[in-house]
Amino acid sequence: MEAKLFCWPESSPVIAGMLRALLLTSLLSWADGHEGQVMLPEEKTKIRDQIVEMFDHAYGSYMKYAYPADELMPLSCKGRVRGLEPNRGDIDDSLGKFSLTLIDTLDTLVVLNKLEEFEAAVRRTVRDVRLDNDVVVSVFETNIRVLGGLLGAHVMADMLRQQGEWMQWYTDELLHMAKELGHRLLPAFNTTSGLPYPRVNLRYGVLNPLSRTGTESDTCTACAGTMILEFAALSRLSGESVFEEHARKALDVLWEKRQRGSDLVGTVINIHNGDWVRRDSGVGAGIDSYYEYLMKAYILLGDNVYLERFNTHYSAIMKYISQPPLLLNVHMHNPTVSVRSWMDSLLAFFPGLQVLRGDLKPAIETHEMLYQVTKQHKFLPEAFTTEFRVHWGQHPLRPEFAESTYYLYKATGDPYYLRVGQSIVEKLNAHARVPCGFAAVQDVRTGTHEDRMDSFFLAEMFKYLYLLFSERNQLHFDIDDYIFTTEAHLLPVSLSTSQPRCQSNDTVRLDQFTYSCPSTQTLFPNNPSFAKTIRDSYKCVCLLPCPNGCSRCGRWGIKLPLHDHSMEPVEFLRSMGISLTPLNEAALGSSGARGVRWLGVTQNSAEEEVVPLIVQLISPPFLGRTVLTAGPAKFGMDLTKQEHGGSIVKSSPYTACGHIENAEELGGHIALALRGDCMFAAKARRLQEAGAIGVIFIDNREGSNSAETPLFQMVGDGGSTADIAIPLVFLFSQEGALLTSALEDHQNVDVLMLPNEKRLGKMAGICIIKHLLALIHFELNYKMCGLNPEC
């Protein structure tokens, strides 16, 4: 039989057991009856027609006002032509003067049953689009949008031609264009490691003197690891194996460079030597589609190696990154340490990937959290804090949340997800629609627009929304015969050359899930109550009016793995303004689980202002000219009322989480201590007992800086911190490196810790001398009297 959606191999006992358990849970939950608001067929049809009308408005506006430009500028009602509009930096690397939006939209026309428009668009593409342009483009974006768009359109055109009514003139022109583009991208792989350059000149390649590229040394993990679907499909459709070989080599390098202790990968890697440049690890921007393509490469190509790698990574993600409903970035070498205070919107694809893997519970949990964020802000902000407030306010009409909504509806049959989809449609019409298309939202807090409508809006958003409200018999093809690329282009699973033997859908039994090829209906019988039971716990994660029947609004549970012996994640959440208190067993009821700590989370109702402090270097040769932005603490001396100064000394151990070995040297000085391994308060107590008169904590996350990361207030450990009297400040990694470098170069460095508005000016030479004399006087007194005020 033909494969339906995906085939699990016989060598997947873990997945098989998980699927058996999932199906048993679903069948048991089914007995409790359907729950959720049912959507009648008439209403689904009405919403589907509305989606088609919205697509016509967006696509029609592009064709009317922008074509043959790459993108539509919906506020200006004209096309965006690279070089004629103000440069937007890396965003413009998607534009190659190849009618990007048209190519990206081709197979969407087929999904929406616009076959006449599809045939006309293919003719226009073959006639007008040229790929030999002297322009530098992103290898990643060109692969997923243009190469993927050409391949998806070719597959659709070939399917329609075989059906005998449409595209009878078609003789693989789109495939020939795809092959030409593939060869134009291949020079990017000319590196010693096999990882591709991030950019390529479509006409001159990479190393040609005319190429204006080739000087880059770094690329993101997703950029290097999101080639295999398109390149392998091109190889198997064209018969040229070189494309699949290069894409696989890049995946092999990323796999070999994973951190062996955690099985995680970083975000940015050097393309020449394979060293990690950024070691933060998550499932959002910079890494996202690398994980997606490992899973989908197995589905499309039938190679167990991809599944084994994905499962290894997935176990690490669920161990370190997933703290339902949150997905937190961690340090790949020290994965119990969270490295930032916010999540980015690109991680919204991950619940959909978890559905493909068959792990529904965390998918439902994270999706519900994301839905509550959209309720609060209308759309998913480009980044939002762990307290679900806006970090970056942009929303460029990204489709990932709609994608996961589609997958969850297909997996559960819960009409709740139809209502989620309906809310997406309504918000797009209410807040993004403009006379000439749909405009990206510049800031979700103000509703202001940006003159931008990316091609993925047509390629993905309308495809997932239309499929969400469509029945299988309303499409011209069986959607389960195809896999979606990360840009939602359709590739047939029949491309696999090593497909495992599949059981018939009609004969699948619980003990046959070692491998199976059922449709989503067979794997996940429609069972709304299964999703609802999980979802209800996450109705109150945002700062919203308490829904009816919700008795614990603003309070929910986060599981912290017991392998995390440090309290860093707790400290991280507290620093974001989330208060945590232990929950007793009565409060937990039967929800407690072995192997986890449960904490109640109470969200603060008001935004807490963080008053920036500074560390000012006042000894020669700095004399007040070097000023470092610092974060405050909620305990210890209040530096807003009293400045403090002294010479600095590194603590030993540097983390200050054990016995302080250099107490004699620290006495009367300000200690430098590295963040991590234990709580700020614990470090402060040890250093205060060792005689330090203040502490400057330095972030252990490489590359963090105050310009890109919001300041936060250091918090205590849940108990009283009244015993801590010395002043405490926090420096991010880059600022801390300046301070430690100064200490290495000059041995004796004196600093002031004070509010920014009280900083010593550049001309305050006499004032600085007075401060230095005061510090010398203090140190002399300390050596004689210690901290005894009566001396």
Side-chain angles (χ1 to χ4, degrees):
M1 61 167 281
E2 293 184 358
K4 300 293 184 181
L5 184 62
F6 53 85
C7 300
W8 298 116
E10 292 185 78
S11 58
S12 305
V14 174
I15 294 177
M18 178 275 303
L19 288 174
R20 281 195 291 270
L22 175 61
L23 186 57
L24 284 170
T25 304
S26 298
L27 293 173
L28 290 172
S29 300
W30 179 258
D32 293 333
H34 295 286
E35 293 183 43
Q37 186 180 359
V38 174
M39 183 177 287
L40 297 175
E42 295 79 12
E43 189 176 3
K44 287 181 67 175
T45 299
K46 182 180 178 181
I47 297 172
R48 186 171 65 250
D49 291 344
Q50 185 180 13
I51 293 166
V52 173
E53 185 279 329
M54 293 165 63
F55 172 83
D56 289 341
H57 178 62
Y59 179 68
S61 294
Y62 167 75
M63 296 305 299
K64 180 178 180 179
Y65 300 112
Y67 182 80
D70 283 315
E71 284 182 358
L72 169 68
M73 298 172 67
L75 302 183
S76 303
C77 298
K78 65 178 184 179
R80 183 181 297 280
V81 179
R82 191 166 175 179
L84 298 184
E85 301 297 332
N87 188 285
R88 300 177 298 169
D90 291 348
I91 298 176
D92 283 344
D93 287 347
S94 302
L95 312 181
K97 299 182 179 179
F98 37 33
S99 300
L100 170 65
T101 298
L102 176 67
I103 293 176
D104 217 3
T105 308
L106 288 174
D107 59 1
T108 305
L109 291 165
V110 180
V111 172
L112 271 62
N113 293 316
K114 293 182 170 294
L115 304 187
E116 185 175 348
E117 291 91 334
F118 173 72
E119 185 155 354
V122 172
R123 288 185 184 276
R124 189 175 285 112
T125 301
V126 173
R127 182 192 69 209
D128 298 343
V129 174
R130 293 294 174 266
L131 300 169
D132 63 342
N133 306 313
D134 180 11
V135 59
V136 176
V137 297
S138 161
V139 174
F140 166 74
E141 297 288 357
T142 304
N143 174 64
I144 66 172
R145 299 202 205 188
V146 185
L147 182 58
L150 291 170
L151 291 171
H154 164 71
V155 168
M156 293 290 101
D158 186 55
M159 178 266 296
L160 291 172
R161 178 178 58 187
Q162 292 182 38
Q163 290 180 358
E165 183 177 354
W166 299 93
M167 303 298 296
Q168 294 307 296
W169 59 271
Y170 181 68
T171 53
D172 297 347
E173 287 86 351
L174 295 176
L175 179 58
H176 297 317
M177 293 179 68
K179 186 163 66 171
E180 178 192 347
L181 182 59
H183 281 291
R184 294 186 181 280
L185 294 178
L186 278 181
F189 290 85
N190 187 21
T191 61
T192 53
S193 69
L195 298 171
Y197 282 97
R199 297 176 184 84
V200 67
N201 186 300
L202 290 174
R203 180 177 295 174
Y204 297 112
V206 174
L207 300 178
N208 188 303
L210 299 175
S211 67
R212 305 188 305 283
T213 188
T215 58
E216 303 94 339
S217 60
D218 306 329
T219 193
C220 73
T221 302
C223 300
T226 309
M227 307 292 291
I228 187 65
L229 293 189
E230 292 83 1
F231 268 42
L234 180 57
S235 283
R236 299 189 182 200
L237 290 169
S238 69
E240 295 188 22
S241 62
V242 62
F243 306 108
E244 184 170 352
E245 290 168 359
H246 278 85
R248 177 156 189 157
K249 173 65 184 303
L251 284 179
D252 289 344
V253 174
L254 292 174
W255 172 251
E256 287 301 317
K257 294 298 181 179
R258 76 192 187 281
Q259 210 290 319
R260 300 302 176 94
S262 66
D263 285 321
L264 295 173
V265 292
T267 306
V268 177
I269 192 169
N270 185 289
I271 59 176
H272 300 298
N273 57 29
D275 290 342
W276 290 106
V277 178
R278 280 186 53 191
R279 295 175 174 83
D280 48 315
S281 186
V283 297
I287 302 179
D288 49 0
S289 48
Y290 163 65
Y291 293 135
E292 178 185 3
Y293 268 39
L294 284 177
M295 178 66 178
K296 290 183 176 179
Y298 165 68
I299 297 169
L300 182 70
L301 307 175
D303 189 334
N304 285 353
V305 169
Y306 297 120
L307 180 64
E308 292 164 4
R309 292 180 182 179
F310 173 80
N311 282 336
T312 299
H313 285 314
Y314 187 76
S315 295
I317 291 168
M318 299 310 290
K319 181 178 182 181
Y320 300 116
I321 293 171
S322 176
Q323 295 188 21
L326 307 179
L327 291 164
L328 303 177
N329 275 40
V330 300
H331 195 292
M332 62 183 290
H333 291 92
N334 188 9
T336 62
V337 176
S338 300
V339 298
R340 69 186 190 194
S341 60
W342 46 272
M343 297 173 279
D344 65 79
S345 64
L346 285 171
L347 62 75
F349 90 100
F350 197 68
L353 184 61
Q354 289 180 305
V355 171
L356 274 184
R357 203 239 178 216
D359 200 1
L360 256 67
K361 185 176 184 294
I364 292 168
E365 291 169 334
T366 298
H367 179 274
E368 183 61 25
M369 177 269 290
L370 295 169
Y371 183 40
Q372 297 300 327
V373 174
T374 66
K375 282 185 174 182
Q376 185 173 349
H377 301 296
K378 298 184 180 67
F379 299 103
L380 272 185
E382 194 73 333
F384 51 95
T385 71
T386 52
E387 202 179 3
F388 315 116
R389 293 192 174 98
V390 174
H391 183 70
W392 297 331
Q394 305 96 321
H395 175 72
L397 307 180
R398 292 203 186 277
E400 285 77 14
F401 179 63
E403 173 186 0
S404 288
T405 302
Y406 163 72
Y407 276 111
L408 276 166
Y409 177 65
K410 292 301 179 183
T412 65
D414 190 338
Y416 178 85
Y417 295 110
L418 294 177
R419 297 298 174 190
V420 175
Q422 181 182 16
S423 75
I424 297 173
V425 171
E426 291 171 349
K427 287 169 182 172
L428 285 172
N429 263 327
H431 304 292
R433 187 168 184 142
V434 294
C436 296
F438 289 81
V441 179
Q442 193 169 50
D443 194 321
V444 297
R445 291 163 291 197
T446 63
T448 52
H449 286 135
E450 188 176 351
D451 204 2
R452 172 181 179 186
M453 189 181 84
D454 288 83
S455 67
F456 53 67
F457 183 60
L458 289 164
E460 299 184 67
M461 181 70 82
F462 290 110
K463 195 174 290 171
Y464 287 122
L465 289 176
Y466 184 85
L467 289 171
L468 177 62
F469 291 95
S470 298
E471 304 301 330
R472 297 165 66 88
N473 59 9
Q474 293 171 328
L475 303 175
H476 277 273
F477 55 92
D478 187 344
I479 195 67
D480 283 348
D481 288 337
Y482 299 85
I483 189 72
F484 290 108
T485 69
T486 195
E487 192 77 3
H489 294 304
L490 294 164
L491 298 176
V493 295
S494 58
L495 287 177
S496 172
T497 57
S498 55
Q499 234 171 333
R501 179 173 56 88
C502 299
Q503 300 294 320
S504 168
N505 284 350
D506 297 328
T507 60
V508 170
R509 299 190 305 272
L510 291 179
D511 59 353
Q512 291 179 327
F513 269 167
T514 301
Y515 60 90
S516 59
C517 295
S519 67
T520 51
Q521 286 285 29
T522 305
L523 260 183
F524 309 112
N526 285 348
N527 182 9
S529 63
F530 174 76
K532 184 179 186 302
T533 302
I534 299 169
R535 195 172 55 235
D536 281 351
S537 298
Y538 296 89
K539 289 292 187 186
C540 303
V541 299
C542 290
L543 306 180
L544 298 168
C546 194
N548 292 334
C550 179
S551 60
R552 57 185 191 92
C553 198
R555 193 171 180 83
W556 39 287
I558 294 180
K559 294 182 287 185
L560 296 176
L562 280 178
H563 64 75
D564 175 24
H565 298 297
S566 78
M567 288 292 289
E568 188 71 11
V570 181
E571 173 186 291
F572 165 72
L573 290 173
R574 281 204 179 113
S575 72
M576 291 301 104
I578 302 178
S579 302
L580 295 94
T581 54
L583 293 181
N584 57 35
E585 293 186 10
L588 287 175
S590 60
S591 63
R594 294 180 63 187
V596 298
R597 288 195 304 269
W598 283 86
L599 301 131
V601 180
T602 306
Q603 302 185 353
N604 301 336
S605 57
E607 193 76 53
E608 192 167 17
E609 183 180 1
V610 177
V611 178
L613 301 173
I614 60 168
V615 174
Q616 187 168 21
L617 282 64
I618 62 172
S619 55
F622 308 102
L623 299 177
R625 291 186 292 268
T626 300
V627 179
L628 309 175
T629 301
K634 289 188 176 181
F635 56 99
M637 181 188 292
D638 186 352
L639 287 169
T640 63
K641 298 177 181 178
Q642 178 184 352
E643 66 184 48
H644 193 78
S647 57
I648 56 175
V649 173
K650 261 191 178 182
S651 168
S652 179
Y654 196 15
T655 60
C657 286
H659 172 69
I660 303 301
E661 299 169 358
N662 62 335
E664 184 174 345
E665 184 184 1
L666 275 177
H669 295 83
I670 295 174
L672 297 186
L674 189 67
R675 179 186 186 182
D677 293 347
C678 62
M679 299 288 282
F680 288 123
K683 298 171 189 281
R685 287 190 182 94
R686 289 191 186 94
L687 293 168
Q688 180 176 275
E689 290 169 3
I693 60 171
V695 182
I696 299 174
F697 295 107
I698 296 177
D699 198 359
N700 59 351
R701 302 170 298 166
E702 292 188 23
S704 66
N705 61 82
S706 61
E708 298 178 356
T709 309
L711 288 176
F712 62 89
Q713 285 186 292
M714 295 179 287
V715 294
D717 51 8
S720 172
T721 53
D723 58 321
I724 301 174
I726 58 176
L728 315 162
V729 297
F730 177 86
L731 294 178
F732 287 111
S733 172
Q734 289 184 10
E735 287 84 354
L738 293 174
L739 189 60
T740 55
S741 176
L743 183 61
E744 290 171 2
D745 293 341
H746 302 284
Q747 284 75 51
N748 184 39
V749 176
D750 294 309
V751 301
L752 288 178
M753 304 153 66
L754 68 167
N756 186 43
E757 63 270 15
K758 295 182 180 179
R759 65 196 287 180
L760 302 183
K762 293 181 180 178
M763 305 303 294
I766 295 176
C767 189
I768 289 173
I769 292 172
K770 287 181 178 179
H771 274 282
L772 287 172
L773 290 173
L775 292 179
I776 293 170
H777 178 69
F778 172 83
E779 289 182 23
L780 290 173
N781 280 348
Y782 180 86
K783 288 177 180 178
M784 292 185 293
C785 308
L787 291 175
N788 183 358
E790 297 179 359
C791 177

